[in-house]
């Protein structure tokens, strides 16, 4: 079955430290991949997306993600975390081009930032 | 531009009551999605529409749940009768198919959610 796995439920990093959030997918073919962020009490906001081409994609708020086909991974990174980055992060995948577009989400990784 | 609008933001009701959640998608978007988020199950897709027509309702948990989209600017998710296990945050999202370098893609925009508590 198609699935998205985020192995880390909760991560704590110090402000200014680097961050990597892991995401693995299980699909028959390379899906379209997304990272969303959810701040407390808010909806989900799209950080970045990957469809094809350059395997390193840049997103908003200084985030980037790297697609690695051999590892079926799409990890999210940020070189220097800010306190405002504390939120929950969701990786998602879709195996449809666009006419359907429904997403399968991972369970999320909650990020805490220490001062 | 206003984003996806959901109402109410919070709903507290008693078991057995009917609950109606409302969503106004972003103008011009032709897809609308309803999700449910719980601690145990994470984010689950309940149903989605394309051009007001339900496409996939396989995620609707049972017959107590129903969704309608009478026009392009409004959708409802109804639970009748409600049960305590329906307590969750319900999100609505809308999207527009866009042309990308490798074909079409869908980018979903989420509303702020409705937090439902069934006592």
């Amino acid at each position: 079955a198609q699935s998205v796995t985020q192995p880390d439920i909760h991560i704590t990093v110090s402000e200014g430290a680097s961050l990597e959030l892991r995401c693995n997918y299980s699909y028959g073919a390379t899906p379209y991949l997304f990272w969303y962020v959810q701040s407390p009490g808010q909806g989900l906001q799209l950080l970045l997306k990957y469809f094809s081409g350059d395997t390193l994609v840049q997103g908003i708020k200084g985030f980037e993600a790297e697609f690695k086909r051999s590892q079926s991974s799409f990890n999210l990174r940020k070189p220097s975390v800010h306190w405002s980055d504390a939120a929950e992060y969701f990786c998602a995948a879709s195996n449809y081009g666009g006419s359907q577009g429904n997403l399968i989400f991972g369970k999320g990784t909650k990020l805490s930032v220490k001062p | 531009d206003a984003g996806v609008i959901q109402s109410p933001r919070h709903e507290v009701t008693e078991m057995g009551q009917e609950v109606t959640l409302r969503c106004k998608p972003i103008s011009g978007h032709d897809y609308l999605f309803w999700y449910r988020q719980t601690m145990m199950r994470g984010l689950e897709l309940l149903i989605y529409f394309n051009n007001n027509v339900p496409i996939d309702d396989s995620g609707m948990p049972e017959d107590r749940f129903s969704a309608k989209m009478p026009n392009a600017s409004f959708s409802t998710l109804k639970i009748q009768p409600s049960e305590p296990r329906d307590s969750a945050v319900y999100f609505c999202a809308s999207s527009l198919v866009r042309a990308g370098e490798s074909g079409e893609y869908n980018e979903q925009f989420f509303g702020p959610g409705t937090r439902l508590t069934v006592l």
Side-chain angles (χ1 to χ4, degrees):
Chain A
Q2 298 160 346
S3 66
V4 174
T5 303
Q6 294 180 246
D8 304 305
I9 297 173
H10 191 184
I11 285 182
T12 300
V13 300
S14 297
E15 190 169 14
S18 63
L19 170 70
E20 182 167 26
L21 302 182
R22 296 183 291 165
C23 173
N24 294 97
Y25 62 88
S26 176
Y27 270 74
T30 300
Y32 295 80
L33 296 161
F34 307 80
W35 273 100
Y36 283 84
V37 60
Q38 183 181 26
S39 297
Q42 303 296 316
L44 279 71
Q45 180 184 22
L46 181 66
L47 283 176
L48 47 77
K49 54 187 179 283
Y50 172 79
F51 300 121
S52 67
D54 193 347
T55 56
L56 186 64
V57 294
Q58 302 297 320
I60 62 172
K61 305 185 180 188
F63 285 91
E64 66 180 24
E66 185 171 14
F67 169 69
K68 292 186 177 179
R69 185 189 304 275
S70 62
Q71 299 177 17
S72 297
S73 69
F74 187 57
N75 294 348
L76 182 71
R77 300 196 296 245
K78 187 169 185 178
S80 177
V81 168
H82 188 261
W83 64 267
S84 60
D85 294 324
E88 190 154 19
Y89 292 79
F90 293 89
C91 183
S94 168
N95 64 337
Y96 298 112
S99 57
Q100 286 85 12
N102 55 313
L103 297 172
I104 295 176
F105 283 87
K107 296 286 181 147
T109 298
K110 185 175 181 180
L111 173 65
S112 297
V113 180
K114 293 189 299 186
Chain B
D1 267 347
V4 176
I5 299 172
Q6 291 187 248
S7 64
R9 292 294 309 276
H10 301 273
E11 176 81 31
V12 180
T13 190
E14 292 187 346
M15 182 174 61
Q17 297 298 305
E18 177 180 295
V19 175
T20 299
L21 311 182
R22 297 173 176 79
C23 175
K24 177 178 169 56
I26 294 172
S27 176
H29 283 193
D30 54 359
Y31 282 84
L32 184 138
F33 305 80
W34 282 101
Y35 291 89
R36 178 172 66 177
Q37 184 180 38
T38 61
M39 289 291 292
M40 290 296 296
R41 301 173 68 91
L43 264 166
E44 304 172 277
L45 176 67
L46 300 177
I47 184 172
Y48 75 94
F49 297 82
N50 178 219
N51 291 322
N52 312 337
V53 176
I55 302 300
D56 183 354
D57 66 354
S58 60
M60 296 286 261
E62 46 196 281
D63 292 345
R64 297 184 297 106
F65 286 70
S66 62
K68 293 182 180 180
M69 192 164 185
N71 57 61
S73 59
F74 183 65
S75 176
T76 59
L77 178 67
K78 186 175 293 187
I79 308 172
Q80 166 63 17
S82 58
E83 297 182 4
R85 59 193 168 117
D86 302 330
S87 297
V89 181
Y90 291 82
F91 287 102
C92 176
S94 70
S95 71
L96 182 65
V97 174
R98 299 176 185 273
E101 291 180 358
S102 303
E104 295 181 330
Y105 68 95
N106 226 311
E107 181 175 328
Q108 295 187 22
F109 293 82
F110 282 74
T114 295
R115 181 173 295 277
L116 173 64
T117 303
V118 183
L119 302 174

